Amino acid sequence: MLYKIKRFIDCHVPVNLCNFQCDYCTVGQWRAIDGKGPEKYTLFKYPVEQMAAGLSKERMGGICSINLCGNGETFLHPQLLELVELLLKDGHFVSIVTNGTVTKSLEYLYNLDYEMRSRIFLKFSFHYIELKKKNLLEKYFRNVHNAHKAGLSLTVELVASDSNVALIDEIKQVCMKEFGVLCHLTDPRANTTNDIRHLTEMPMDEHIKVWSQFESALFDYRQATWGQNRKAHFCYGGVWSFNLDLGTGRLKQCYRDAKTVQYIFENVEEPIHFVPRGHFCSLPHCFNSHVFDCHAGAVPDIKSPEYIELRNRVLPDGTEWVKEPYKTIYSVKVCENHKQYTEPEKIFADAMMALSSGIEPPVEFKAVFEAYLSDISINKKIELYEDNEFTKWLKDNISDKFFGKENNERIIIVTSFSDFAQIKPQIEKETDAEIVSIVDIPYLS
Ligand code: SF4
Ligand code: SF4
């Protein structure tokens, strides 16, 4: 069977609980350690069946690669497995980030039918110091081996932290003994700082030299893209890749200040109105370049290796951590399953980002927008729904000939695109006019 991944969705699982206390904890569990943090976990706001319907392959336009990661140990969220099973039943690929110690949850996955579990990828984070301290190394390796035997795809990933440096020789020996290969490496980063800097006290050249002995393409790619902002590039985050909060259903283009695309678990009948980040990535470097570039190809003009190179290892017995069908989907980028935008579509998308942020849009936008309106408004008049700065700019700059209420045939354009799915039912009660989100204008004619 030929699988084509339509979108990559990185999901935040609302769990802060963890049985470990790693010194470099990059996902925020540390906030809960001293008792000042948030609740241990938050139950999903919507029933899991509704969440799965919100993420259905019909609504997404095809099969998705869905990654699940908590702010603590992902498997400690009590509703996680139910959701995973529903997503797999719908045909999606599901990857889960875990510290590899919640055996009961892992065993639940091994008992799914073979085809379904072949669409599971486990990212076994290798927290060596904690595993050793808590006498859990044996259990951890048993879980990795059992996942491999059960036909799941996996990778083993160590954090290249300063605290692990003194243990490098020991860690290498353990990896060779247990797997016959070395683990991959990720670089810890200061997630909450503006510069998203490296979390190392070592000089960078020394840090890179020390860790390059693991020959991890994952580590190498992170270094290659670190510190390079994406302002000159058009990013399709919001169309091909996303960040989704499973607690609330808020689908965003990316992390931090990226725009909300839609609250997708409410009003699941409403199609998703995709809107790309375009030239508006505000981060000092791509937050997770290894997956957004190498798996999603979210910025297609940036060349990157295939994701499989960053995740796989071939074991001495010839078996591989990444198996089919993951081998296939990690060898083709999501962007290869899409057409890129035309120049007018890019200008339009950039204008959506600009106007929704109170910034002047590209100079070409007026002409582009009027051309789209000419295509769709023959015998129809446009009405703008809300009173906001976005609408004001359009009223002040777009030709009056497109606007009017007097004609029966009307198209009502909603400029608050993130809230369109909630606003539309309210307008529908008052009118039978066609109601559209502004982000869909280029695709209406
Ligand atoms: S296992 Fe993960 S979530 Fe738990 S403390 Fe370590 S890094 Fe943080
Ligand atoms: S370039 Fe990377 S960090 Fe920036 S918006 Fe795109 S996916 Fe997100």
Side-chain angles (χ1 to χ4, degrees):
M1 184 165 176
L2 185 63
Y3 293 103
K4 278 190 174 183
I5 299 297
K6 194 71 181 172
R7 307 182 205 277
F8 167 70
I9 308 171
D10 188 23
C11 299
H12 166 67
V13 179
V15 56
N16 301 294
L17 184 67
C18 189
N19 50 338
F20 284 5
Q21 295 186 354
C22 306
D23 66 280
Y24 45 74
C25 185
T26 54
V27 288
Q29 180 271 349
W30 57 270
R31 285 181 298 172
I33 292 173
D34 59 8
K36 291 182 196 146
E39 293 298 314
K40 289 176 178 172
Y41 59 80
T42 314
L43 289 176
F44 298 141
K45 185 173 167 195
Y46 299 90
V48 282
E49 292 76 12
Q50 190 170 331
M51 294 167 72
L55 283 162
S56 73
K57 62 177 182 294
E58 286 73 26
R59 197 177 191 212
M60 288 293 159
I63 293 168
C64 297
S65 165
I66 299 176
N67 183 57
L68 306 172
C69 183
N71 265 358
E73 166 49 35
T74 313
F75 278 121
L76 294 182
H77 192 283
Q79 296 166 293
L80 186 87
L81 290 171
E82 252 184 291
L83 179 66
V84 167
E85 200 169 339
L86 289 173
L87 295 173
L88 290 168
K89 277 189 179 147
D90 197 25
H92 295 306
F93 283 67
V94 180
S95 56
I96 306 162
V97 180
T98 175
N99 66 21
T101 60
V102 190
T103 307
K104 215 171 137 192
S105 298
L106 294 166
E107 284 173 347
Y108 182 91
L109 299 178
Y110 309 155
N111 286 322
L112 297 173
D113 80 53
Y114 186 80
E115 195 285 320
M116 261 164 74
R117 62 186 197 260
S118 74
R119 285 183 282 110
I120 301 172
F121 177 93
L122 294 173
K123 199 206 88 178
F124 280 100
S125 300
F126 186 25
H127 301 299
Y128 187 72
I129 295 173
E130 286 291 295
L131 286 164
K132 205 171 155 182
K133 209 182 334 172
K134 294 187 162 50
N135 210 14
L136 288 170
L137 274 168
E138 205 182 305
K139 181 181 187 178
Y140 176 84
F141 289 124
R142 197 167 50 241
N143 284 338
V144 176
H145 294 314
N146 284 342
H148 184 58
K149 275 191 234 145
L152 281 71
S153 283
L154 62 93
T155 198
V156 177
E157 188 181 299
L158 178 82
V159 177
S161 69
D162 289 358
S163 54
N164 276 329
V165 170
L167 298 163
I168 285 180
D169 287 342
E170 189 179 322
I171 292 170
K172 283 169 73 181
Q173 274 176 23
V174 170
C175 283
M176 293 312 286
K177 179 173 164 278
E178 287 294 333
F179 310 126
V181 293
L182 296 176
C183 57
H184 278 294
L185 293 181
T186 187
D187 226 0
R189 49 167 195 224
N191 279 348
T192 51
T193 60
N194 286 339
D195 58 355
I196 324 179
R197 61 178 173 274
H198 281 285
L199 270 184
T200 178
E201 299 299 321
M202 293 163 73
M204 267 326 286
D205 52 349
E206 207 180 308
H207 174 76
I208 292 170
K209 192 167 161 228
V210 157
W211 288 108
S212 58
Q213 54 189 302
F214 280 77
E215 294 182 357
S216 169
L218 171 61
F219 182 77
D220 295 345
Y221 191 70
R222 292 305 296 267
Q223 304 310 323
T225 53
W226 210 288
Q228 294 178 6
N229 73 50
R230 300 288 172 93
K231 287 186 183 7
H233 301 273
F234 190 91
C235 175
Y236 288 84
V239 184
W240 304 345
S241 65
F242 306 86
N243 170 247
L244 172 64
D245 182 341
L246 289 180
T248 61
R250 184 185 188 191
L251 185 74
K252 288 179 67 183
Q253 298 166 319
C254 191
Y255 311 102
R256 291 215 182 161
D257 56 352
K259 300 285 177 200
T260 299
V261 175
Q262 195 162 321
Y263 284 84
I264 61 164
F265 298 150
E266 211 177 300
N267 194 2
V268 294
E269 303 301 321
E270 180 63 29
I272 297 177
H273 304 274
F274 301 107
V275 54
R277 194 78 184 121
H279 288 96
F280 279 74
C281 176
S282 59
L283 302 187
H285 49 250
C286 186
F287 200 73
N288 276 326
S289 61
H290 61 290
V291 66
F292 287 119
D293 287 345
C294 304
H295 182 31
V299 181
D301 56 335
I302 289 184
K303 299 292 162 242
S304 59
E306 290 173 355
Y307 196 46
I308 188 150
E309 288 177 36
L310 279 61
R311 290 305 188 192
N312 201 14
R313 291 283 197 208
V314 181
L315 308 184
D317 65 1
T319 61
E320 298 178 52
W321 277 347
V322 183
K323 306 168 185 68
E324 289 295 355
Y326 262 101
K327 265 182 104 163
T328 302
I329 70 145
Y330 280 177
S331 302
V332 180
K333 292 183 170 64
V334 173
C335 67
E336 293 172 52
N337 299 324
H338 289 266
K339 268 208 290 203
Q340 289 193 36
Y341 280 24
T342 60
E343 226 21 68
E345 285 170 342
K346 285 184 180 174
I347 291 164
F348 189 89
D350 278 342
M352 297 300 100
M353 289 304 97
L355 287 168
S356 59
S357 307
I359 300 169
E360 198 62 19
V363 281
E364 305 93 335
F365 172 62
K366 177 176 153 60
V368 166
F369 189 51
E370 289 187 345
Y372 285 135
L373 290 182
S374 301
D375 282 348
I376 61 173
S377 69
I378 303 161
N379 297 327
K380 293 179 184 174
K381 289 286 179 194
I382 302 296
E383 192 182 326
L384 294 165
Y385 178 65
E386 312 102 310
D387 234 354
N388 55 27
E389 287 303 306
F390 195 145
T391 304
K392 185 173 176 317
W393 190 96
L394 296 176
K395 281 187 177 152
D396 290 348
N397 290 277
I398 301 301
S399 167
D400 288 342
K401 72 177 183 189
F402 295 107
F403 299 109
K405 284 187 176 181
E406 70 288 347
N407 193 313
N408 281 342
E409 284 239 57
R410 281 187 301 151
I411 302 175
I412 299 178
I413 298 177
V414 177
T415 52
S416 302
F417 54 83
S418 303
D419 298 321
F420 178 71
Q422 283 71 49
I423 292 172
K424 187 181 166 192
Q426 296 167 23
I427 315 174
E428 270 172 341
K429 286 182 194 151
E430 295 155 21
T431 173
D432 52 8
E434 189 179 350
I435 305 157
V436 299
S437 169
I438 186 138
V439 299
D440 293 334
I441 292 292
Y443 314 105
L444 291 181
S445 60

